[in-house]
Amino acid sequence: YALAFLIARQSERGVVCRLADKAEPFLKPSMASSQTKRILLDLAAGSSAGPGTYCRTVNELAGRLGSRGVVVLISDFLDDPDHLAEAIRRLRYDRHETIVLHVIDPAELEFPFRHPTEFRGLETMAKLATDPIRVRERYLEKLSTHLSALETICRDSETDYLRFRTDADVGSELGLYLRKRTAFAR
């Protein structure tokens, strides 16, 4: 929501597009005052059902964006990092500045589970029953490798990468980033 208000305050053309199997719904970039309301309504509608495929959907989106601008990708990025790399390459090819906002739950970072647990995927609703103590160390190793890959992809493509925990004050953290970004641009 903070980004929608920032866009409106700076009189920028704003758009929101959820990425799943296709880019939907798509609001054309606009500076109209009603655009902020449409963006907020779209965000309030929640995420699209189904797993996203960044390569195909970002290619579709990039083809509809038109003139260059700032594109903010917000996701849990629990997908093959190569998909993110290809998506960023496409956006950068079209001369869009890209910002990656990675949203992650503390339980994903810390894996605090101690008792036999059934895990369910949000997109596919697949279930996996496991003993967390047996898989914790391997899970944390793979997560660390995954997070490092995301950071490397963004750094190598000159894309800002920010990780937000779902238990944090995202507004304050985003505000701090935007202040640094504004100071750097001067």
Side-chain angles (χ1 to χ4, degrees):
Y1 299 112
L3 287 173
F5 285 113
L6 178 69
I7 289 167
R9 191 169 142 220
Q10 293 187 342
S11 299
E12 298 287 343
R13 295 182 325 140
V15 65
V16 168
C17 181
R18 292 190 304 265
L19 300 178
D21 290 332
K22 59 182 180 173
E24 61 178 39
F26 184 78
L27 296 173
K28 291 191 182 280
S30 170
M31 290 189 336
S33 60
S34 60
Q35 185 77 338
T36 303
K37 182 178 179 182
R38 288 195 300 258
I39 289 172
L40 292 174
L41 289 172
D42 192 61
L43 289 171
S47 62
S48 297
T53 306
Y54 286 99
C55 303
R56 185 176 64 236
T57 53
V58 169
N59 279 333
E60 177 188 343
L61 174 64
R64 293 162 47 182
L65 284 176
S67 63
R68 71 181 197 189
V70 177
V71 176
V72 181
L73 298 174
I74 305 170
S75 174
D76 60 11
F77 295 103
L78 294 177
D79 196 358
D80 184 340
D82 290 339
H83 293 174
L84 175 62
E86 188 173 334
I88 290 173
R89 274 194 301 274
R90 168 57 200 249
L91 292 167
R92 300 291 289 166
Y93 175 80
D94 288 344
R95 299 179 28 191
H96 295 291
E97 182 179 347
T98 308
I99 300 170
V100 169
L101 301 183
H102 184 186
V103 181
I104 191 162
D105 189 275
E108 293 172 304
L109 290 169
E110 300 157 8
F111 205 76
F113 311 101
R114 300 286 179 242
H115 304 289
T117 306
E118 180 179 87
F119 295 95
R120 293 183 191 178
L122 292 177
E123 283 99 5
T124 63
M125 295 307 287
K127 298 176 185 177
L128 174 65
T130 190
D131 177 5
I133 293 174
R134 289 184 57 206
V135 300
R136 183 176 194 272
E137 186 176 328
R138 182 76 173 131
Y139 166 83
L140 291 174
E141 285 173 12
K142 285 198 165 276
L143 177 66
S144 178
T145 300
H146 181 77
L147 296 176
S148 292
L150 295 176
E151 291 171 357
T152 299
I153 288 164
C154 292
R155 183 182 58 250
D156 291 350
S157 64
E158 299 178 356
T159 295
D160 287 351
Y161 173 83
L162 291 89
R163 186 180 309 142
F164 295 108
R165 292 171 52 119
T166 57
D167 65 343
D169 181 356
V170 175
S172 293
E173 290 186 37
L174 188 56
L176 179 62
Y177 163 73
L178 293 171
R179 281 191 296 281
K180 285 181 186 176
R181 182 179 162 88
T182 303
F184 181 73
R186 290 183 185 163

